[in-house]
Amino acid sequence: MKTQNKLFTVLLFVLLFLYLQIRHSFFFYYMEQQQMFMFSADYALDILTKPGGFSVYLARFIQQFYVLPIMGAFFTSLMLTSIAGMFNRLLSKIGENFYFNMLFSLLPICYLLSIYFEITYLLQSTTAILLSLFFAMIYEIIYTKNIIQIKEKESLRLSLQGVLLLLSFYCCAYWGIVTFLIMLVFDLYTKQRKDFILYLYCAVILVLIGIYNNHYLNMKYLNPLSSFHSNVILSLIVVPFIAAHFIPNIKFINNHSVVFNGFLIIVFCVGIFSIDKYLLYDSMTRTNFEMDYYLKNKDWDKIIKTYPDKHSMQSNLYTINILNLALCEKEILCDSMFVYPQAGYKTLLAEWDGSAVHAMSQSDIFFYMGDVAMAQKLAFEGNEASISGGNVRLLKRLVQTNIIYGSYKVAEKYINFLENTLFYRKWASDQRRFLYNDEAVKSDPELCECKKIYDSGDYLSTPNCLRTLQQLIVTNPDNKNILQYLTAYYLLEKNRDALYEIIDKYYDLKKRPSLPYALQEAALMFDPNDEQYIVSHNINIKVEYNLKNFTTFVNKNKNKKDFYKMMDTYYGNTYWYYMLAN
């Protein structure tokens, strides 16, 4: 049985690792940014002096390694396999059926996987469950091997349980109940404890649970927005102990161990497939994680390439925001934006929902758009909204924006934080060359553009994207990103007069061969018969030809029931379709 147990554990780890790495690698990159682990005494004391702090500290220590390829899948597989392995070992001391014990040990894993990929799920819940099972296993080993003769000495047994429970509740807070419940079931099975002592344990532990649950758990252990229900995982841990004892030793299973091993593997694979397909985030969210990773690394080509067909992601504004930024950085926003789903100005910049996760992409968009003030505001508020010790990506943005503003002391404070991290200390130390050195800032390719915008004149930064762009364009008419975003905003709002004004003021046809393609379509649609305007603004003859065909198509099919569907099929990538359909 030991050989089969090891084989099952290894197989479980390999299956989990392959599944997590292939299907969810970008999720781990995304979640790594949601925490900040610092190697400092003050940071450690602040966490470890609180109930449950050890599991929080351990979770953040592990999560920082998610920045490395395959490490997210590796550590997650290791933790989940360890939970299953310890659970299986503890079950084997209660029930004699080896194969049912293995099957039961998969139940907590399947449930954890069903909620593991919610961005509101906290990793410290997993580390706490792992530690609570570890303390229960220590008790089982000491009892089974009769170390310090606890079978004969009731006082030693009671003292040992008390010490382990105190350690478990200190390290795991609420999840210390797992250690207690396993000990309780174990004692009931071995019949080594008088009933009144068990009842006393129950009463004391329930009081402790109530205190931790009401005053600590909801603030620190489970994100209030999470759908993770702790009572479910508790039942999946406790019920198998009871079932394992009462399930009979079925001869068929013992005589056909190879068959049943295969059955277990099939059940597990089907369970994982079902969880991934029906309970986890959809392909739209998975793509969002991937695109956000490319945004962090400024890989604009991969953002555009990753975005799927235009009909699949119309409800995800944050994803289309990232795509439009990539189009802008490639200087093709007003040429290609209507190849993708657009629905008003919010597809350029959605309203921030107050969360740290969305503050990352929003702050980036404002930064590259030229609104340094809003980029800093979102970075600061998003970092404050983080519940995992800070947000490394937003802290990096705070360093940059304060350097641009010349607030070097503030920037130095954030640099000090990042220098205490493992994977960002080099970047943070490199930023010190900009402190109190305006010339170094102006010579940096990324910071200098934002510095020019800031130095060009005062502007009132507001969440109103249009107002900010209108102010920025006056003093920064040559900034390509500002011009593209302002043009795109007017296109999405179908503002004819504003588009004509911006064409006359900022699109110098002496310096460019023609207007952006979508702008040509808009100008031609507004005044299709103004030949003088068409000639003077170099409207492409192909656009004129396409508009005539479009007009004929509309007049011929506008009364049909599926008119918009037909129009989307033939003209869905044009500004004309957007004008009529939105």
Side-chain angles (χ1 to χ4, degrees):
M1 288 300 179
K2 289 184 178 180
T3 302
Q4 291 186 5
N5 200 355
K6 291 179 181 179
L7 181 62
F8 181 78
T9 302
V10 171
L11 183 60
L12 177 62
F13 175 83
V14 172
L15 287 174
L16 281 172
F17 176 79
L18 292 175
Y19 160 70
L20 293 171
Q21 181 61 25
I22 294 171
R23 293 286 290 170
H24 302 288
S25 57
F26 289 101
F27 167 81
F28 296 114
Y29 294 134
Y30 192 82
M31 294 307 295
E32 177 272 330
Q33 302 167 85
Q34 308 303 322
Q35 58 77 45
M36 183 175 67
F37 182 87
M38 294 191 293
F39 291 90
S40 70
D42 291 339
Y43 179 83
L45 288 173
D46 182 59
I47 297 176
L48 294 175
T49 53
K50 298 175 182 177
F54 186 79
S55 58
V56 175
Y57 192 82
L58 179 61
R60 293 181 186 174
F61 176 80
I62 292 173
Q63 199 164 349
Q64 70 176 324
F65 291 96
Y66 287 5
V67 70
L68 300 175
I70 81 170
M71 294 308 291
F74 173 80
F75 277 111
T76 302
S77 302
L78 185 62
M79 287 188 290
L80 294 180
T81 303
S82 299
I83 289 174
M86 287 190 290
F87 197 42
N88 183 35
R89 177 189 173 93
L90 291 166
L91 280 173
S92 68
K93 306 302 177 181
I94 304 297
E96 298 178 357
N97 196 306
F98 174 78
Y99 299 105
F100 271 106
N101 290 343
M102 286 197 301
L103 184 61
F104 283 134
S105 69
L106 296 178
L107 294 179
I109 307 303
C110 290
Y111 181 71
L112 284 172
L113 283 174
S114 72
I115 45 85
Y116 202 89
F117 301 101
E118 293 184 15
I119 58 176
T120 54
Y121 176 76
L122 302 181
L123 185 62
Q124 51 255 42
S125 294
T126 302
T127 55
I129 293 170
L130 180 66
L131 289 170
S132 63
L133 286 171
F134 174 73
F135 287 117
M137 191 178 70
I138 289 178
Y139 174 72
E140 175 271 319
I141 291 173
I142 293 176
Y143 176 80
T144 302
K145 296 185 178 181
N146 198 26
I147 302 175
I148 65 174
Q149 297 181 333
I150 63 172
K151 289 184 178 180
E152 293 80 15
K153 298 179 180 180
E154 185 70 15
S155 59
L156 283 177
R157 180 177 173 131
L158 182 62
S159 299
L160 175 64
Q161 286 193 332
V163 170
L164 290 174
L165 284 173
L166 286 174
L167 286 172
S168 184
F169 272 91
Y170 162 71
C171 292
C172 314
Y174 170 81
W175 292 109
I177 190 176
V178 172
T179 305
F180 165 72
L181 289 174
I182 293 176
M183 285 182 177
L184 179 61
V185 172
F186 195 86
D187 282 354
L188 287 172
Y189 176 72
T190 57
K191 300 178 181 178
Q192 295 293 321
R193 186 58 54 90
K194 293 181 181 179
D195 289 344
F196 78 90
I197 296 180
L198 295 176
Y199 292 142
L200 177 62
Y201 261 120
C202 288
V204 173
I205 296 301
L206 287 174
V207 171
L208 290 175
I209 291 170
I211 293 173
Y212 281 114
N213 187 50
N214 292 329
H215 299 288
Y216 183 74
L217 168 66
N218 290 331
M219 295 185 294
K220 199 70 177 178
Y221 250 79
L222 297 179
N223 191 317
L225 300 176
S226 177
S227 63
F228 178 38
H229 301 295
S230 57
N231 58 314
V232 176
I233 188 66
L234 284 178
S235 64
L236 291 176
I237 289 175
V238 176
V239 171
F241 280 96
I242 300 172
H245 175 56
F246 290 103
I247 290 178
N249 192 7
I250 303 176
K251 292 183 178 180
F252 171 79
I253 294 174
N254 288 331
N255 294 333
H256 298 80
S257 59
V258 176
V259 175
F260 198 74
N261 266 323
F263 171 74
L264 285 176
I265 294 172
I266 293 172
V267 168
F268 179 72
C269 291
V270 170
I272 294 299
F273 173 79
S274 301
I275 289 170
D276 190 76
K277 184 174 182 180
Y278 299 108
L279 296 179
L280 298 186
Y281 51 81
D282 53 23
S283 59
M284 179 172 63
T285 308
R286 183 179 288 109
T287 302
N288 191 52
F289 291 150
E290 184 175 358
M291 291 178 67
D292 187 81
Y293 173 77
Y294 297 138
L295 170 61
K296 183 184 74 168
N297 293 288
K298 294 181 284 188
D299 196 334
W300 313 118
D301 289 323
K302 283 192 176 180
I303 290 176
I304 297 170
K305 184 178 179 180
T306 300
Y307 197 91
D309 66 273
K310 70 172 292 181
H311 300 286
S312 62
M313 303 181 69
Q314 295 184 18
S315 61
N316 194 324
L317 289 176
Y318 291 101
T319 306
I320 189 68
N321 287 171
I322 295 173
L323 172 69
N324 283 333
L325 174 62
L327 295 173
C328 180
E329 287 292 322
K330 297 296 291 183
E331 299 184 26
I332 55 172
L333 177 61
C334 297
D335 288 291
S336 306
M337 61 186 294
F338 293 103
V339 174
Y340 306 95
Q342 307 290 343
Y345 70 91
K346 288 185 179 180
T347 53
L348 286 179
L349 194 61
E351 294 180 4
W352 182 47
D353 63 359
S355 68
V357 293
H358 287 146
M360 294 188 303
S361 60
Q362 298 297 87
S363 179
D364 284 351
I365 292 170
F366 273 113
F367 185 79
Y368 292 115
M369 189 178 72
D371 190 349
V372 182
M374 275 303 297
Q376 185 182 69
K377 175 182 171 64
L378 283 169
F380 179 80
E381 294 186 4
N383 185 65
E384 290 297 308
S386 174
I387 60 175
S388 295
N391 185 297
V392 289
R393 182 159 149 195
L394 294 178
L395 281 173
K396 289 174 67 177
R397 182 67 69 214
L398 286 171
V399 170
Q400 291 177 311
T401 54
N402 279 287
I403 286 174
I404 291 168
Y405 281 139
S407 302
Y408 296 122
K409 286 187 178 180
V410 180
E412 190 172 16
K413 178 185 72 172
Y414 295 123
I415 288 173
N416 290 335
F417 289 151
L418 290 170
E419 282 182 330
N420 284 320
T421 64
L422 180 61
F423 297 104
Y424 297 94
R425 61 179 58 172
K426 183 178 179 181
W427 180 91
S429 296
D430 186 59
Q431 302 307 300
R432 288 192 176 276
R433 62 191 171 94
F434 299 119
L435 297 179
Y436 312 102
N437 190 345
D438 290 345
E439 293 303 316
V441 176
K442 292 178 181 178
S443 64
D444 182 78
E446 183 173 48
L447 299 179
C448 68
E449 283 299 316
C450 292
K451 184 70 173 174
K452 288 178 184 177
I453 294 172
Y454 173 69
D455 291 341
S456 63
D458 295 331
Y459 68 95
L460 179 62
S461 178
T462 71
N464 187 324
C465 178
L466 174 60
R467 185 177 178 184
T468 301
L469 288 169
Q470 288 172 333
Q471 295 177 84
L472 289 173
I473 194 66
V474 174
T475 51
N476 300 273
D478 295 326
N479 187 289
K480 296 178 181 179
N481 284 8
I482 296 173
L483 180 58
Q484 286 184 91
Y485 263 97
L486 184 58
T487 304
Y489 193 104
Y490 288 142
L491 285 169
L492 292 170
E493 292 300 290
K494 309 173 187 178
N495 192 328
R496 176 181 181 275
D497 295 336
L499 283 171
Y500 278 149
E501 181 180 355
I502 202 172
I503 290 172
D504 293 338
K505 280 187 176 181
Y506 302 110
Y507 283 91
D508 187 355
L509 294 179
K510 294 179 181 179
K511 297 181 180 180
R512 61 168 66 230
S514 62
L515 296 172
Y517 200 80
L519 203 52
Q520 291 187 51
E521 291 183 331
L524 197 59
M525 188 174 191
F526 291 141
D527 288 301
N529 298 318
D530 191 343
E531 292 294 336
Q532 183 179 355
Y533 190 90
I534 293 172
V535 173
S536 62
H537 287 79
N538 296 338
I539 302 297
N540 194 309
I541 191 171
K542 183 180 178 181
V543 179
E544 291 187 72
Y545 177 77
N546 289 340
L547 179 60
K548 291 178 181 179
N549 290 339
F550 176 76
T551 304
T552 302
F553 173 85
V554 171
N555 292 333
K556 183 179 179 180
N557 299 287
K558 61 183 178 181
N559 294 322
K560 293 183 178 180
K561 186 177 181 180
D562 57 349
F563 167 64
Y564 286 102
K565 185 176 181 180
M566 292 173 59
M567 184 170 58
D568 186 21
T569 301
Y570 295 104
Y571 297 97
N573 61 348
T574 66
Y575 182 66
W576 308 320
Y577 169 79
Y578 175 83
M579 283 283 293
L580 296 183
N582 291 273

